[in-house]
PDB file of all heavy atoms in Angstrom:
ATOM      1  N   PRO A 263       8.914 -18.208 -12.337  1.00 98.00           N
ATOM      2  CA  PRO A 263       9.865 -19.332 -12.509  1.00 98.00           C
ATOM      3  C   PRO A 263      10.549 -19.329 -13.899  1.00 98.00           C
ATOM      4  O   PRO A 263      11.705 -19.638 -14.068  1.00 98.00           O
ATOM      5  CB  PRO A 263       9.060 -20.599 -12.308  1.00 98.00           C
ATOM      6  CG  PRO A 263       7.998 -20.114 -11.350  1.00 98.00           C
ATOM      7  CD  PRO A 263       7.627 -18.740 -11.779  1.00 98.00           C
ATOM      8  N   ALA A 264       9.735 -18.938 -14.941  1.00 98.00           N
ATOM      9  CA  ALA A 264      10.345 -18.943 -16.308  1.00 98.00           C
ATOM     10  C   ALA A 264      11.358 -17.806 -16.369  1.00 98.00           C
ATOM     11  O   ALA A 264      12.443 -17.938 -17.055  1.00 98.00           O
ATOM     12  CB  ALA A 264       9.247 -18.681 -17.310  1.00 98.00           C
ATOM     13  N   ALA A 265      11.107 -16.722 -15.689  1.00 98.00           N
ATOM     14  CA  ALA A 265      12.060 -15.596 -15.711  1.00 98.00           C
ATOM     15  C   ALA A 265      13.375 -15.969 -15.008  1.00 98.00           C
ATOM     16  O   ALA A 265      14.482 -15.590 -15.432  1.00 98.00           O
ATOM     17  CB  ALA A 265      11.440 -14.341 -15.047  1.00 98.00           C
ATOM     18  N   VAL A 266      13.259 -16.656 -13.868  1.00 98.00           N
ATOM     19  CA  VAL A 266      14.446 -17.095 -13.207  1.00 98.00           C
ATOM     20  C   VAL A 266      15.265 -18.079 -14.026  1.00 98.00           C
ATOM     21  O   VAL A 266      16.496 -18.104 -14.123  1.00 98.00           O
ATOM     22  CB  VAL A 266      14.117 -17.682 -11.816  1.00 98.00           C
ATOM     23  CG1 VAL A 266      15.330 -18.269 -11.122  1.00 98.00           C
ATOM     24  CG2 VAL A 266      13.543 -16.611 -10.894  1.00 98.00           C
ATOM     25  N   ALA A 267      14.511 -18.988 -14.701  1.00 98.00           N
ATOM     26  CA  ALA A 267      15.182 -19.965 -15.595  1.00 98.00           C
ATOM     27  C   ALA A 267      15.920 -19.220 -16.704  1.00 98.00           C
ATOM     28  O   ALA A 267      17.012 -19.625 -17.087  1.00 98.00           O
ATOM     29  CB  ALA A 267      14.166 -20.902 -16.209  1.00 98.00           C
ATOM     30  N   GLU A 268      15.317 -18.160 -17.205  1.00 98.00           N
ATOM     31  CA  GLU A 268      16.004 -17.373 -18.253  1.00 98.00           C
ATOM     32  C   GLU A 268      17.276 -16.618 -17.699  1.00 98.00           C
ATOM     33  O   GLU A 268      18.261 -16.584 -18.308  1.00 98.00           O
ATOM     34  CB  GLU A 268      15.048 -16.307 -18.838  1.00 98.00           C
ATOM     35  CG  GLU A 268      14.192 -16.813 -19.976  1.00 98.00           C
ATOM     36  CD  GLU A 268      15.087 -17.071 -21.244  1.00 98.00           C
ATOM     37  OE1 GLU A 268      15.299 -16.144 -22.033  1.00 98.00           O
ATOM     38  OE2 GLU A 268      15.584 -18.229 -21.323  1.00 98.00           O
ATOM     39  N   ALA A 269      17.148 -16.197 -16.475  1.00 98.00           N
ATOM     40  CA  ALA A 269      18.279 -15.539 -15.862  1.00 98.00           C
ATOM     41  C   ALA A 269      19.445 -16.532 -15.685  1.00 98.00           C
ATOM     42  O   ALA A 269      20.608 -16.233 -15.946  1.00 98.00           O
ATOM     43  CB  ALA A 269      17.918 -14.959 -14.494  1.00 98.00           C
ATOM     44  N   ALA A 270      19.097 -17.751 -15.279  1.00 98.00           N
ATOM     45  CA  ALA A 270      20.134 -18.849 -15.227  1.00 98.00           C
ATOM     46  C   ALA A 270      20.718 -19.138 -16.559  1.00 98.00           C
ATOM     47  O   ALA A 270      21.915 -19.446 -16.645  1.00 98.00           O
ATOM     48  CB  ALA A 270      19.457 -20.081 -14.593  1.00 98.00           C
ATOM     49  N   ARG A 271      19.918 -19.052 -17.640  1.00 97.00           N
ATOM     50  CA  ARG A 271      20.399 -19.390 -18.958  1.00 97.00           C
ATOM     51  C   ARG A 271      21.476 -18.357 -19.424  1.00 97.00           C
ATOM     52  O   ARG A 271      22.488 -18.768 -20.003  1.00 97.00           O
ATOM     53  CB  ARG A 271      19.272 -19.412 -19.932  1.00 97.00           C
ATOM     54  CG  ARG A 271      19.694 -19.681 -21.411  1.00 97.00           C
ATOM     55  CD  ARG A 271      18.539 -19.612 -22.336  1.00 97.00           C
ATOM     56  NE  ARG A 271      18.029 -18.203 -22.514  1.00 97.00           N
ATOM     57  CZ  ARG A 271      18.610 -17.291 -23.254  1.00 97.00           C
ATOM     58  NH1 ARG A 271      19.726 -17.480 -23.871  1.00 97.00           N
ATOM     59  NH2 ARG A 271      18.057 -16.086 -23.262  1.00 97.00           N
ATOM     60  N   VAL A 272      21.277 -17.079 -19.157  1.00 98.00           N
ATOM     61  CA  VAL A 272      22.162 -16.102 -19.682  1.00 98.00           C
ATOM     62  C   VAL A 272      23.398 -15.910 -18.772  1.00 98.00           C
ATOM     63  O   VAL A 272      24.369 -15.284 -19.164  1.00 98.00           O
ATOM     64  CB  VAL A 272      21.442 -14.736 -19.825  1.00 98.00           C
ATOM     65  CG1 VAL A 272      20.271 -14.895 -20.776  1.00 98.00           C
ATOM     66  CG2 VAL A 272      21.040 -14.108 -18.518  1.00 98.00           C
ATOM     67  N   LEU A 273      23.383 -16.540 -17.568  1.00 98.00           N
ATOM     68  CA  LEU A 273      24.586 -16.464 -16.710  1.00 98.00           C
ATOM     69  C   LEU A 273      25.723 -17.322 -17.224  1.00 98.00           C
ATOM     70  O   LEU A 273      25.510 -18.451 -17.701  1.00 98.00           O
ATOM     71  CB  LEU A 273      24.196 -16.903 -15.276  1.00 98.00           C
ATOM     72  CG  LEU A 273      23.548 -15.898 -14.351  1.00 98.00           C
ATOM     73  CD1 LEU A 273      23.156 -16.605 -13.071  1.00 98.00           C
ATOM     74  CD2 LEU A 273      24.458 -14.753 -14.076  1.00 98.00           C
ATOM     75  N   ARG A 274      26.876 -16.792 -17.096  1.00 97.00           N
ATOM     76  CA  ARG A 274      28.126 -17.630 -17.375  1.00 97.00           C
ATOM     77  C   ARG A 274      28.214 -18.651 -16.212  1.00 97.00           C
ATOM     78  O   ARG A 274      27.790 -18.411 -15.060  1.00 97.00           O
ATOM     79  CB  ARG A 274      29.357 -16.757 -17.390  1.00 97.00           C
ATOM     80  CG  ARG A 274      29.303 -15.644 -18.457  1.00 97.00           C
ATOM     81  CD  ARG A 274      30.694 -15.096 -18.596  1.00 97.00           C
ATOM     82  NE  ARG A 274      30.702 -13.780 -19.161  1.00 97.00           N
ATOM     83  CZ  ARG A 274      30.491 -13.499 -20.385  1.00 97.00           C
ATOM     84  NH1 ARG A 274      30.190 -14.478 -21.252  1.00 97.00           N
ATOM     85  NH2 ARG A 274      30.568 -12.257 -20.842  1.00 97.00           N
ATOM     86  N   PRO A 275      28.896 -19.765 -16.466  1.00 97.00           N
ATOM     87  CA  PRO A 275      29.238 -20.679 -15.317  1.00 97.00           C
ATOM     88  C   PRO A 275      29.994 -19.942 -14.251  1.00 97.00           C
ATOM     89  O   PRO A 275      30.938 -19.187 -14.515  1.00 97.00           O
ATOM     90  CB  PRO A 275      30.125 -21.713 -16.004  1.00 97.00           C
ATOM     91  CG  PRO A 275      29.632 -21.762 -17.423  1.00 97.00           C
ATOM     92  CD  PRO A 275      29.325 -20.272 -17.763  1.00 97.00           C
ATOM     93  N   GLY A 276      29.561 -20.092 -13.013  1.00 96.00           N
ATOM     94  CA  GLY A 276      30.126 -19.323 -11.939  1.00 96.00           C
ATOM     95  C   GLY A 276      29.498 -17.959 -11.686  1.00 96.00           C
ATOM     96  O   GLY A 276      29.794 -17.294 -10.719  1.00 96.00           O
ATOM     97  N   GLY A 277      28.624 -17.561 -12.597  1.00 97.00           N
ATOM     98  CA  GLY A 277      27.925 -16.212 -12.488  1.00 97.00           C
ATOM     99  C   GLY A 277      26.874 -16.281 -11.403  1.00 97.00           C
ATOM    100  O   GLY A 277      26.402 -17.326 -10.941  1.00 97.00           O
ATOM    101  N   ARG A 278      26.522 -15.081 -11.011  1.00 97.00           N
ATOM    102  CA  ARG A 278      25.597 -14.932  -9.827  1.00 97.00           C
ATOM    103  C   ARG A 278      24.312 -14.238 -10.214  1.00 97.00           C
ATOM    104  O   ARG A 278      24.277 -13.289 -11.028  1.00 97.00           O
ATOM    105  CB  ARG A 278      26.241 -14.116  -8.748  1.00 97.00           C
ATOM    106  CG  ARG A 278      27.374 -14.839  -8.010  1.00 97.00           C
ATOM    107  CD  ARG A 278      27.901 -14.018  -6.886  1.00 97.00           C
ATOM    108  NE  ARG A 278      28.259 -12.656  -7.328  1.00 97.00           N
ATOM    109  CZ  ARG A 278      28.015 -11.552  -6.666  1.00 97.00           C
ATOM    110  NH1 ARG A 278      27.272 -11.550  -5.607  1.00 97.00           N
ATOM    111  NH2 ARG A 278      28.424 -10.400  -7.163  1.00 97.00           N
ATOM    112  N   LEU A 279      23.228 -14.656  -9.610  1.00 98.00           N
ATOM    113  CA  LEU A 279      21.913 -14.032  -9.695  1.00 98.00           C
ATOM    114  C   LEU A 279      21.567 -13.457  -8.332  1.00 98.00           C
ATOM    115  O   LEU A 279      21.644 -14.130  -7.318  1.00 98.00           O
ATOM    116  CB  LEU A 279      20.821 -15.058 -10.125  1.00 98.00           C
ATOM    117  CG  LEU A 279      19.400 -14.625  -9.956  1.00 98.00           C
ATOM    118  CD1 LEU A 279      19.106 -13.445 -10.902  1.00 98.00           C
ATOM    119  CD2 LEU A 279      18.447 -15.802 -10.273  1.00 98.00           C
ATOM    120  N   VAL A 280      21.274 -12.139  -8.322  1.00 98.00           N
ATOM    121  CA  VAL A 280      20.897 -11.494  -7.088  1.00 98.00           C
ATOM    122  C   VAL A 280      19.398 -11.000  -7.213  1.00 98.00           C
ATOM    123  O   VAL A 280      19.099 -10.319  -8.203  1.00 98.00           O
ATOM    124  CB  VAL A 280      21.817 -10.287  -6.822  1.00 98.00           C
ATOM    125  CG1 VAL A 280      21.314  -9.481  -5.621  1.00 98.00           C
ATOM    126  CG2 VAL A 280      23.225 -10.792  -6.513  1.00 98.00           C
TER     127      VAL A 280
END
Side-chain angles (χ1 to χ4, degrees):
V266 173
E268 273 292 272
R271 179 185 66 79
V272 303
L273 277 174
R274 302 193 201 286
R278 290 183 306 135
L279 168 62
V280 173

